[in-house]
Amino acid sequence: MSQNNVYTQEEGFSSSSFENFYTHFVQLTAQSGIRTSSKRESLLRALYSCESYLSAEEIYQVLHTEHHIRISLATIYKILTFFENLDVVSTVLTFPHKLKKYKLKRAVHHDHLLCLKCGTITRFYDATLEKIQEEILTTHHFKGTHHTLTLYGFCEKCQDE
Amino acid sequence: MSQNNVYTQEEGFSSSSFENFYTHFVQLTAQSGIRTSSKRESLLRALYSCESYLSAEEIYQVLHTEHHIRISLATIYKILTFFENLDVVSTVLTFPHKLKKYKLKRAVHHDHLLCLKCGTITRFYDATLEKIQEEILTTHHFKGTHHTLTLYGFCEKCQDE
DNA sequence: TTCCCTGCAAAGGATTTGCATACAA
DNA sequence: TTGTATGCAAATCCTTTGCAGGGAA
């Protein structure tokens, strides 16, 4: 699924305004042949304006009552799943009603390579690695929030010297 | 709900055989006017023989195919909810299908009061306290696994001296 | 024009509920 | 006998899916 690697080689969002955020989002997704849509933008905007987790229903309410945007719940679910595949949102399941809630990832996760000689830090992201870590969490009945992984070694330049 | 406090004043299970476990369970529940039933016993036995979490469906399969016990899924759900209220089982929600899974608590949770003078440790359990802690976890989007609470102070005897 | 995006309604799966019956005390 | 426990089927809730129509490139 090509949707999975939109951010692979890219830096995360760190802009403070939604416009910057959205521009960045469009640039990245365009590379994968994904089209823009006003509904997706609205949904991103709703997520962007909220610091905590929102359910599909809550997003539906915000869009309808506050912004008078006509969008179906089914579409909201589709877009949220789409964002999840893009790794743009993180999710949690709530007790006791097992509602799934979504929150925007304002910065894209990445791991680090650190050179023990020159100290250079290189960022990287590997979807498979992330998936395996998720599976390990599941196997051990953990609910993960985040992680950091730093691979220590020597960079190409320092190996040569 | 009187079902909530079956274990309040009691020590946890620590017996190694199911028979001891079940005898203890019956003794405790009988005090609350709860009747015995072969289905509940079967369900407890199934949970007892498994170290990890089981879903209602998995328990259903075990009881039907391995033990040839005729029990409906609805009843399994009812009994599991009953056990949950009794605080006999702990639960988790699994990704991505939001299956609820159940595991037997082999020891009953309790907190501690520790006297700073004589060092006596007194065990206690408070349902409301537990509930509030659950709410705090929910508010902060935490999935709690366990906790320990120790209240430090002076016991009645040491206060007098 | 092409093909992705959206809406609607129906389907889906896990869990709960209502009610009649079975069973423990 | 009395009230609890169970079974069955229908209902419920959140979420997904199929398909036709709408919209971006």
Side-chain angles (χ1 to χ4, degrees), chain B residues 44-59:
Chain B
L44 272 181
R45 193 182 295 274
L47 289 168
Y48 189 87
S49 4
C50 181
E51 289 291 326
S52 62
Y53 288 83
L54 292 171
S55 66
E57 181 66 35
E58 288 168 341
I59 292 170

Side-chain angles (χ1 to χ4, degrees), chain B residues 35-36 74 77-78 81 99-100:
Chain B
R35 296 181 182 174
T36 62
Y77 277 111
K78 283 174 186 167
T81 303
L99 255 181
K100 194 168 186 177

Side-chain angles (χ1 to χ4, degrees), chain A residues 76-120:
Chain A
I76 289 178
Y77 277 111
K78 282 174 186 167
I79 295 179
L80 286 174
T81 303
F82 169 75
F83 285 167
E84 207 177 353
N85 289 334
L86 239 43
D87 203 32
V88 175
V89 296
S90 54
T91 63
V92 289
L93 290 180
T94 62
F95 282 89
H97 297 299
K98 307 202 292 187
L99 257 180
K100 194 168 186 177
K101 295 194 157 202
Y102 303 81
K103 185 166 78 82
L104 202 62
K105 289 186 181 178
R106 280 152 201 281
V108 176
H109 169 73
H110 56 248
D111 296 303
H112 291 139
L113 284 162
L114 190 150
C115 179
L116 291 170
K117 190 166 182 191
C118 67
T120 302

Side-chain angles (χ1 to χ4, degrees), chain B residues 14-23 48:
Chain B
S14 56
S15 52
S16 55
S17 78
F18 177 73
E19 309 312 328
N20 287 340
F21 176 90
Y22 188 64
T23 302
Y48 189 87

